[in-house]
Amino acid sequence: MRIKLLSIAALMTFGSMAHAQTVDVSNEALTVPSNSTLEAAAQSGLYVHGQKIDALLLSEIEKQQIVGLAAIVIEEGEVAWSKAYGFADRERRVSVDLDRSQFRWASVSKPVTAIAAMQLVEKGLLDLDADIREYVPEFPDKGAKITARQLLCHQGGIVHYSNGPVVETIVDYDRPHPFENVILALNKFKDSPLVHPPGETYDYTTHGYILLSAVVERAGNQRFIDQVQERIAKPLGMKSFQPDYSWKDIPERTAGYHRSEDAVLRRPDTEVADVSWKLGGGGFTSTPADMATFCKGLLQTKLVSKATEEQMWTVAIPAKLGKAKLKYGLGFFVVDSPSGERWVGHDGSQTKTRTAILTVPDRELGIVILTNSEWVDPMTLAANLIEIID
């Protein structure tokens, strides 16, 4: 069963997040400070599962030399068990805290952008099958119609990081942080050629979601970030959720850690990339508790209608299968578990962070994993936690 679950998790990941070999290092994270909601677990009936989950995670922390990790289990749409392990900042002896530690969401930001887009569809403000240039004429004509639907399911032919040439438009800006404007952020890639004709096949692309955020801004006639805050974060009560702007003082940002051949090292601040330009594709940050709140909002159908969720959680099949594994809907990975249940989620991989949300919508079951250890595969951990619960 474990092998099958790991293969399912592998289908849901898009980056290279394989575990490195365990190394013999003196890692302070092995003395694991933690905080948890064991009382909630006992009340929910997950207490026995919680003990097993705790044992599994402690084992993985030791085996993989994980510095900091947060895990949250949602059952019947509510948090049933949660625990924080290790250090948000090992050198300063700051423990991971579910309600305080700020983790980068990385590509778990994409479902947020997808929800914002589909909310506009429900309001009749966004046509998924219209040419996106009707909303964002600043995006150059590529000789083929590109739609918001294609952007949502990574079939628009927009370049990712290394699957084709990324051509940046060089502009002298009269403002200190120009890419806070999602229209100006298009200059990072808008002159890049398409990697395939729109709709032909699946090619995962963060740049495509940056373009989608610009479409949302124009279709909603309001700044993208303001739409996200007003229609997603505020209604759910996500108080820590915000753009990960490097120039902004965000208290309790987690430090990031990477591995060398014989040590676990802190990621220097000089190597921590500014992600303000890719807000809609991977630029949000929050506490673990607020990521769980977003997951709860999905499971409780608080953000879009049930019909819209079904549309988002149905695999979008491209015209040509190619290398695609038929695993992506509109903003979410969608796969069948070994038992035949539909699993829906997204993971994220970025400097300082690895994140994952994995849900079983039909059972209102969800797993949220965040870590500041860049070699960890959080989606595999999430899948293994579902195995324990099952």
Side-chain angles (χ1 to χ4, degrees):
M1 185 63 138
R2 177 67 55 81
I3 294 174
K4 290 181 180 179
L5 283 171
L6 295 186
S7 66
I8 290 294
L11 286 177
M12 299 185 72
T13 57
F14 57 86
S16 176
M17 291 189 268
H19 299 316
Q21 293 291 321
T22 300
V23 291
D24 184 15
V25 298
S26 176
N27 187 344
E28 293 176 88
L30 295 183
T31 57
V32 185
S34 66
N35 55 61
S36 64
T37 56
L38 293 177
E39 296 84 0
Q43 293 171 5
S44 72
L46 256 182
Y47 183 68
V48 174
H49 293 314
Q51 291 177 314
K52 293 179 180 179
I53 288 170
D54 189 40
L56 170 66
L57 293 175
L58 286 170
S59 173
E60 291 300 316
I61 287 167
E62 181 175 4
K63 181 172 66 176
Q64 297 189 47
Q65 304 283 290
I66 297 172
V67 179
L69 183 142
I72 301 174
V73 176
I74 296 164
E75 186 182 47
E76 296 182 357
E78 297 292 344
V79 172
W81 183 92
S82 60
K83 193 166 183 178
Y85 303 84
F87 294 102
D89 190 321
R90 186 180 62 185
E91 289 69 30
R92 293 182 174 89
R93 312 296 295 178
V94 177
S95 301
V96 175
D97 189 288
L98 298 171
D99 298 309
R100 297 175 63 88
S101 300
Q102 287 282 150
F103 283 84
R104 286 181 156 185
W105 280 40
S107 285
V108 178
S109 302
K110 290 180 174 69
V112 175
T113 303
I115 290 289
M118 297 305 289
Q119 288 174 334
L120 294 178
V121 173
E122 291 185 337
K123 293 176 180 289
L125 298 175
L126 174 60
D127 182 348
L128 285 182
D129 299 310
D131 192 322
I132 55 96
R133 297 190 72 251
E134 294 181 14
Y135 302 99
V136 189
E138 293 90 342
F139 191 77
D141 185 356
K142 300 297 181 181
K145 175 183 173 182
I146 303 171
T147 69
R149 186 186 304 276
Q150 291 165 343
L151 296 178
L152 280 161
C153 61
H154 299 289
Q155 295 179 24
I158 306 299
V159 70
H160 191 38
Y161 296 126
S162 59
N163 61 344
V166 179
V167 180
E168 183 171 355
T169 305
I170 305 301
V171 177
D172 290 328
Y173 300 100
D174 60 357
R175 61 184 73 185
H177 308 294
F179 300 140
E180 184 179 3
N181 181 317
V182 297
I183 304 299
L184 294 180
L186 300 177
N187 290 335
K188 295 287 287 186
F189 67 94
K190 71 180 184 181
D191 288 326
S192 307
L194 297 180
V195 297
H196 62 74
E200 182 179 79
T201 190
Y202 165 95
D203 258 305
Y204 186 90
T205 167
T206 292
H207 295 108
Y209 265 72
I210 301 168
L211 177 54
L212 181 62
S213 71
V215 172
V216 169
E217 178 158 312
R218 288 290 174 71
N221 195 30
Q222 184 183 24
R223 285 202 319 160
F224 170 70
I225 180 56
D226 293 338
Q227 293 186 55
V228 167
Q229 290 288 2
E230 289 184 13
R231 299 203 305 270
I232 298 175
K234 288 182 181 179
L236 295 180
M238 299 165 61
K239 295 181 179 180
S240 71
F241 180 79
Q242 60 189 297
D244 186 18
Y245 292 149
S246 59
W247 60 87
K248 186 175 179 180
D249 181 20
I250 300 178
E252 304 209 40
R253 278 182 162 128
T254 57
Y257 297 87
H258 65 104
R259 299 182 94 158
S260 68
E261 292 183 358
D262 58 357
V264 172
L265 304 174
R266 184 189 180 98
R267 178 69 68 182
D269 290 342
T270 55
E271 295 181 11
V272 178
D274 176 16
V275 296
S276 63
W277 63 275
K278 57 179 180 178
L279 182 60
F284 287 107
T285 179
S286 87
T287 63
D290 270 351
M291 184 178 283
T293 297
F294 176 68
C295 184
K296 284 169 52 181
L298 297 173
L299 292 171
Q300 295 174 356
T301 321
K302 288 186 174 181
L303 298 172
V304 291
S305 69
K306 189 65 176 177
T308 296
E309 281 191 339
E310 285 299 316
Q311 185 179 4
M312 299 181 76
W313 297 345
T314 299
V315 173
I317 302 176
K320 294 183 179 179
L321 184 57
K323 295 180 180 179
K325 297 177 180 178
L326 299 182
K327 61 185 179 180
Y328 212 89
L330 303 181
F332 295 85
F333 288 96
V334 184
V335 298
D336 290 330
S337 74
S339 64
E341 287 184 308
R342 177 180 55 178
W343 286 2
V344 175
H346 215 291
D347 58 352
S349 174
Q350 198 174 85
T351 306
K352 292 180 61 179
T353 195
R354 295 292 187 270
T355 57
I357 287 177
L358 179 58
T359 71
V360 186
D362 293 341
R363 286 195 279 142
E364 292 187 83
L365 173 65
I367 307 292
V368 173
I369 302 285
L370 307 94
T371 178
N372 57 0
S373 300
E374 297 174 11
W375 57 92
V376 176
D377 179 353
M379 191 60 82
T380 293
L381 288 179
N384 286 341
L385 298 195
I386 290 180
E387 178 188 8
I388 289 174
I389 294 169
D390 286 343

